[in-house]
Amino acid sequence: MAGFMDRAKEQAQRGLSQGKQKLDDVQAQRAGGDLLKRLGAAYYAERKGTGSPQATQQALQALESHIAANGDGVLRG
């Protein structure tokens, strides 16, 4: 019975770990999407004449930092 309980505990731990990884991935994807929207809004404002190149550059740098840390999955939609 102890072997069964150990296997069940191990399986539960593995499931929790996989669930946490999936949650982290979803949160990173959402944050990347928000950064991508920010970049688009900054670029649009710059082109329209109400934004600045500095705001666009800051948004681009924030997105690039996120991609460096989390991968480019946000760009694939």
Side-chain angles (χ1 to χ4, degrees), residues 7-24:
R7 285 192 307 268
K9 183 179 177 182
E10 182 181 312
Q11 228 175 358
Q13 289 291 356
R14 203 172 348 172
L16 286 172
S17 182
Q18 289 171 345
K20 181 171 177 2
Q21 180 62 42
K22 181 67 174 173
L23 179 63
D24 291 346

Side-chain angles (χ1 to χ4, degrees), residues 32-48:
D34 290 344
L35 290 169
L36 193 55
K37 287 178 189 175
R38 228 176 80 198
L39 174 59
Y43 178 76
Y44 176 77
E46 181 184 345
R47 297 291 293 178
K48 189 176 175 188

Side-chain angles (χ1 to χ4, degrees), residues 39 42-43 45-47 49-61:
L39 174 59
Y43 178 76
E46 181 184 345
R47 297 291 293 178
T50 58
S52 69
Q54 293 82 10
T56 303
Q57 187 62 34
Q58 287 174 346
L60 178 61
Q61 288 172 342

